Amino acid sequence: MSQETPVQSTDDQEDRRVSRRRMMRTAAAATVAGTAAAAVATPAQAAPGDPVRIDAPNEGSGLTSLTGSQFRVTLNGQQAAIEANNAIGAQLLLGVNQAPEFPPTTGQYYPGAIVNWQGQLFQCIESDGAANSNTRWSRLTNTGPVLNLLPHPIRVYASTNDPASSNAKIRAGQLRKIDTTRTPTGADSGVPPWADSVLGTVQLYATETNTGYLALGSGDIQPSGYSTTVWSAPGFSGVTSFTSKLGDPEGANFGRLSVACYSAASTARTHFFVDIVGYYDYDYFVGGPAAAASPDATSLRRVGGRTVKEARTPRTR
């Protein structure tokens, strides 16, 4: 009698296959669950002196630092996004020479970005936000006009060499306007058209009548009610220093200076000469790939809606 070979049930194989599928599904579900759990991590914790804690107090006297990483604070409210209080010390410290060059010719900057260059702070005021793009910067420190002394005093006006006025003396009641950016021969004086104001001297020569005075002021006004330099005798000669705002009749700044003559005597008149010692202006700088061709920064002024540039090395004070 032959012995029949037992027939193996397929139920066990199916059970094993199902079990393996179930195990794979279970493992996948566990992985997803683990990922979700990691995405909802608890706030980072650190002891004082270790990397900064997030949403947790940093107590103690140790230095808490953030190294090799960015730190961003975003707030859509009325309060300040960052507040620092220090009763006896600085609220903020930016390391000196933080920027490797200025203006930057590489990197990505947005309006509002601040860099420290040799102890001076500069803020980005214009950029398209792309990496290695052209940028415009404004100095945050020394925000007032900065005095630029010329190599030596430059004569920008001589009434004895003024063909437009027939080389004649200025007389009582007369107003003359001087272009401080040019010398009497038409050469460049060294004063840029965007200069805010000038420091100089005015010299009187061969005065007539006993008394009179000159008033100097911005080119867009009629100087009156004060005197810049006076004379009290005929044939007087003398020099007076002055500082004056510049401007023009349209209200823009093109280096114009107004000079008015006043006297109780209508016959009062005098020759006069104006020399410029230096000028004041505000510094703006342009950076980006285009600026890499020159080692100098580019200072610029917006004059009447136009941009005027001058190459220079950033001053540090």
Side-chain angles (χ1 to χ4, degrees):
M1 184 173 179
S2 63
Q3 185 177 2
E4 294 182 353
T5 301
V7 178
Q8 186 175 4
S9 172
T10 60
D11 292 339
D12 294 337
Q13 296 176 1
E14 182 66 23
D15 290 343
R16 285 195 294 272
R17 287 195 297 270
V18 171
S19 297
R20 284 195 293 272
R21 285 196 296 270
R22 287 175 179 173
M23 289 174 63
M24 294 174 64
R25 287 198 299 268
T26 302
T31 300
V32 172
T35 302
V40 190
T42 57
Q45 300 292 315
D50 288 343
V52 67
R53 299 181 182 185
I54 305 299
D55 292 338
N58 291 279
E59 299 176 353
S61 59
L63 177 64
T64 301
S65 62
L66 186 67
T67 304
S69 180
Q70 290 181 304
F71 179 69
R72 175 177 296 170
V73 177
T74 303
L75 179 67
N76 294 321
Q78 297 297 324
Q79 296 180 336
I82 297 178
E83 180 180 343
N85 296 305
N86 189 348
I88 59 175
Q91 286 75 38
L92 176 65
L93 173 63
L94 298 179
V96 177
N97 296 329
Q98 176 178 316
E101 60 180 350
F102 188 82
T105 57
T106 59
Q108 187 172 4
Y109 298 90
Y110 295 91
I114 297 175
V115 299
N116 184 346
W117 171 250
Q118 296 183 348
Q120 297 290 314
L121 297 183
F122 298 86
Q123 181 179 13
C124 179
I125 58 175
E126 185 175 312
S127 170
D128 59 14
N132 303 327
S133 64
N134 289 321
T135 52
R136 182 173 300 167
W137 299 83
S138 175
R139 190 196 301 266
L140 297 182
T141 47
N142 294 337
T143 55
V146 179
L147 175 61
N148 301 267
L149 292 175
L150 299 177
H152 53 80
I154 298 294
R155 178 150 296 177
V156 296
Y157 183 81
S159 59
T160 56
N161 187 18
D162 182 5
S165 300
S166 302
N167 301 332
K169 297 178 179 180
I170 188 173
R171 62 181 183 272
Q174 190 177 55
L175 172 69
R176 293 188 185 178
K177 294 201 171 184
I178 299 170
D179 182 359
T180 64
T181 68
R182 299 292 173 185
T183 68
T185 61
D188 186 352
S189 70
V191 177
W194 60 87
D196 176 78
S197 50
V198 289
L199 171 66
T201 61
V202 55
Q203 177 183 352
L204 301 179
Y205 169 69
T207 60
E208 296 183 26
T209 72
N210 289 335
T211 60
Y213 65 93
L214 299 183
L216 279 67
S218 172
D220 53 8
I221 66 170
Q222 168 77 41
S224 63
Y226 61 90
S227 60
T228 304
T229 183
V230 301
W231 74 88
S232 58
F236 174 83
S237 296
V239 178
T240 304
S241 63
F242 72 93
T243 302
S244 176
K245 192 87 170 175
L246 298 177
D248 72 3
E250 285 71 39
N253 192 355
F254 292 99
R256 299 295 193 271
L257 185 69
S258 292
V259 181
C261 181
Y262 297 96
S263 175
S266 61
T267 57
R269 64 189 67 199
T270 184
H271 276 304
F272 72 100
F273 310 92
V274 176
D275 298 325
I276 300 300
V277 177
Y279 65 91
Y280 293 84
D281 73 342
Y282 296 85
D283 282 340
Y284 292 89
F285 300 90
V286 172
S294 172
D296 294 336
T298 300
S299 179
L300 65 94
R301 293 288 292 152
R302 280 211 173 271
V303 181
R306 297 176 301 166
T307 299
V308 187
K309 299 181 179 179
E310 176 193 27
R312 67 173 59 178
T313 302
R315 291 183 296 270
T316 57
R317 286 178 171 82

